[in-house]
Amino acid sequence: MVRELPGGTGAVEATGVVRRVGVIVAELAQARMPMSLAELTCRTGLPKTTVHRLLAALCGTGLVRRDDAGYVLGTAVPPLRAPAPGRDPFALPRRCFLPHLVELYEQTHQLVSLCILVGDEVVFLERIYGPGRADDGLVDADRLPAGHTAAGRVLLAFSRTVRPDGAGAAPHAGLERCLADIRRRRVAVLAAAFHPGVICAAAPVVGRTGRVVAAVEIAAGAAALGVTAMIAQVHRTARTISAAARRLG
């Protein structure tokens, strides 16, 4: 969450720009190969037009360089530490997960999402809904604190470093028990904070190296679908997307 700094609205907007630039540079720093505009848009969760505009500005400063294969860090950036061994970023093409999200929507006619973890926030890569879907009050949000959503809790549960109270903070005992239960059951169920009666369920998507890289979430009225049915649906969709990731090898 961006907090207002001395200087008013302009300072808040500047902070937002810096954060977006940081997300883009971080993805490029961790990539082993040049990244396309589409890949950066998917990985960062930012609007494509925003990523394109910021990349143009970064190329102009030498922080980023574009070649025939895509975008890489420029010579103005000093060499960075290699990515952590075993890191399995979400790089699944939309064609591999979007049909399964659409199928989940067609089966439920509720709000369905695919999410990733960026720092301590959950980023919504894709959201599908229609006029009859349950309103969780957050449909216009691009990212939220991870602990406030079912998908975010799934991703925190399988993250190596859990930081629900800020960088470096240890999780309190209650949350740690909750995350341990999510790891055991491979599902999170959470009541929507802003709309009573709306329930969210999420299940993990496993990447090519066997690590959790994303989460499928569904938000529905308990009376409309039922918690047991929601859990079964998100499990099935998450498994199908995980299988698509394995096939890419």
Side-chain angles (χ1 to χ4, degrees), residues 40-58:
L40 279 166
T41 300
C42 179
R43 292 273 294 276
T44 62
L46 298 173
K48 185 176 182 179
T49 53
T50 299
V51 176
H52 185 268
R53 173 172 52 82
L54 292 176
L55 283 171
L58 289 167

Side-chain angles (χ1 to χ4, degrees), residues 154-179:
V154 164
L155 295 168
L156 284 175
F158 289 95
S159 174
R160 283 187 171 185
T161 305
V162 181
R163 298 175 297 169
D165 300 318
H172 58 74
L175 180 58
E176 183 54 46
R177 284 194 297 270
C178 173
L179 298 181

Side-chain angles (χ1 to χ4, degrees), residues 112-128:
V112 301
S113 308
L114 184 73
C115 309
I116 62 172
L117 189 67
V118 178
D120 297 323
E121 294 182 315
V122 63
V123 173
F124 295 91
L125 291 183
E126 199 78 51
R127 307 193 89 178
I128 302 174

Side-chain angles (χ1 to χ4, degrees), residues 58-70:
L58 289 167
C59 286
T61 63
L63 292 173
V64 172
R65 177 172 56 85
R66 183 180 183 181
D67 58 26
D68 293 339

Side-chain angles (χ1 to χ4, degrees), residues 17-40:
V17 171
V18 170
R19 183 180 66 179
R20 289 172 175 83
V21 166
V23 169
I24 292 172
V25 171
E27 289 296 340
L28 290 173
Q30 294 164 343
R32 293 178 174 86
M33 301 290 291
M35 298 182 67
S36 68
L37 174 61
E39 288 172 327
L40 279 166

Side-chain angles (χ1 to χ4, degrees), residues 110 134 196-199 220-227 229-230:
Q110 301 298 325
V198 175
I199 304 295
L225 193 58
V227 174
M230 292 172 64

